[in-house]
Amino acid sequence: MAAERTAEEAKAHCISAMGQDLGEVYAALWQETALLFRNWNEYVDLFGSKPSRVDLLNRAAGSFFRIVQDALWEQTVLHVARLTDPAASVGRSNLSIRRLLECIDDAEIKSLVAPTVDAALEAARFCRDWRNRHIAHRDLDLALERAAEPLAAGTLEKVRQALDRLADVLNAVSRRYLDSETHFDGHWYAGGQSLLHVLDRGVEAEEQRRQRIKAGQPLPDDFRRRDL
């Protein structure tokens, strides 16, 4: 899917190459997967790259950034679980890779895509456990710390594998219908990295302000509070 196209143009291109049903579902899943990778990369930049970055966030506003960390983690896990849902549940159709597979009429292509869907479902198994027993619902035995099966282990590597397997599904389809594939983990605008640079300067300035006050040599602005 060419980067220079708008979302609507890309959708029209997919429909033209794949047919209405498959093209619409593929285009929507592509957008969801691109968003998923972008948000996950922000999480990794902030919380999963360097201990020094986590230390900076804790020095700046530790409680707040713990909320951000938990929210981004759960958002990612929930997003993966949704994209691996059954094609339909409770009588309603779902946008998922299983729906995508059902939209493929060509038996040969379906046989090539099916193993990538199975691999994605297996990689996302822990996300579905988190969604079912911790995010969408709160398992009572887990909440009360009674004897219960622990949540499936969730790690940075396991999330990365789940995302990569979702990308494999979409690329298996696009290689056959569009003669192309997408490197979803490519360059994205890194808002988290920009934030880290601003925080680094701000924390350093605050430490210098406190040192001046402690030494009895404050500057005129050291006691001024901005109305933010």
Side-chain angles (χ1 to χ4, degrees):
M1 192 173 292
E4 64 271 13
R5 294 190 178 103
T6 66
E8 284 303 312
E9 290 170 342
K11 178 180 176 180
H13 177 63
C14 292
I15 292 173
S16 176
M18 303 177 184
Q20 187 73 33
D21 290 343
L22 178 58
E24 282 187 332
V25 171
Y26 175 87
L29 282 171
W30 190 97
Q31 295 292 338
E32 290 282 333
T33 303
L35 176 64
L36 179 57
F37 268 84
R38 187 198 69 182
N39 291 348
W40 178 246
N41 285 342
E42 295 283 22
Y43 178 95
V44 173
D45 278 347
L46 290 174
F47 307 107
S49 296
K50 300 177 181 179
S52 59
R53 293 183 178 183
V54 176
D55 179 62
L56 174 61
L57 297 174
N58 284 331
R59 289 160 61 201
S63 296
F64 172 77
F65 283 112
R66 178 55 191 265
I67 294 171
V68 173
Q69 181 180 10
D70 290 345
L72 279 175
W73 171 266
E74 293 191 357
Q75 176 188 12
T76 300
V77 169
L78 185 59
H79 203 159
V80 172
R82 286 199 303 263
L83 295 185
T84 56
D85 267 338
S89 54
V90 198
R92 301 183 67 87
S93 298
N94 295 319
L95 176 66
S96 73
I97 57 173
R98 290 195 257 189
R99 167 62 59 183
L100 181 73
L101 187 63
E102 288 194 0
C103 291
I104 300 175
D105 294 327
D106 187 297
E108 179 184 356
I109 296 177
K110 178 175 283 192
S111 69
L112 294 174
V113 175
T116 67
V117 171
D118 291 340
L121 295 178
E122 180 61 29
R125 184 187 297 273
F126 84 96
C127 295
R128 301 182 65 77
D129 187 39
W130 274 69
R131 191 268 299 272
N132 295 339
R133 296 199 295 145
H134 180 72
I135 301 175
H137 309 281
R138 187 70 75 180
D139 182 270
L140 182 61
D141 288 340
L142 282 174
L144 299 182
E145 299 182 349
R146 294 171 175 169
E149 181 183 354
L151 281 175
T155 64
L156 293 173
E157 180 58 28
K158 292 186 74 170
V159 172
R160 168 57 60 193
Q161 290 177 6
L163 267 61
D164 286 345
R165 298 296 78 75
L166 287 171
D168 289 345
V169 174
L170 295 181
N171 284 328
V173 174
S174 64
R175 280 194 295 268
R176 296 306 299 260
Y177 288 97
L178 304 176
D179 193 28
S180 67
E181 59 183 51
T182 302
H183 181 51
F184 286 99
D185 200 26
H187 176 73
W188 300 99
Y189 171 72
Q193 290 189 28
S194 298
L195 174 63
L196 287 166
H197 287 294
V198 172
L199 288 175
D200 186 45
R201 291 191 293 269
V203 168
E204 181 180 2
E206 174 62 15
E207 289 177 351
Q208 292 173 353
R209 184 186 76 89
R210 291 180 180 180
Q211 289 173 5
R212 288 193 298 270
I213 292 173
K214 184 177 180 179
Q217 299 174 333
L219 297 176
D221 282 350
D222 282 344
F223 296 103
R224 182 167 66 90
R225 290 290 183 181
R226 297 182 183 273
D227 185 14
L228 300 176

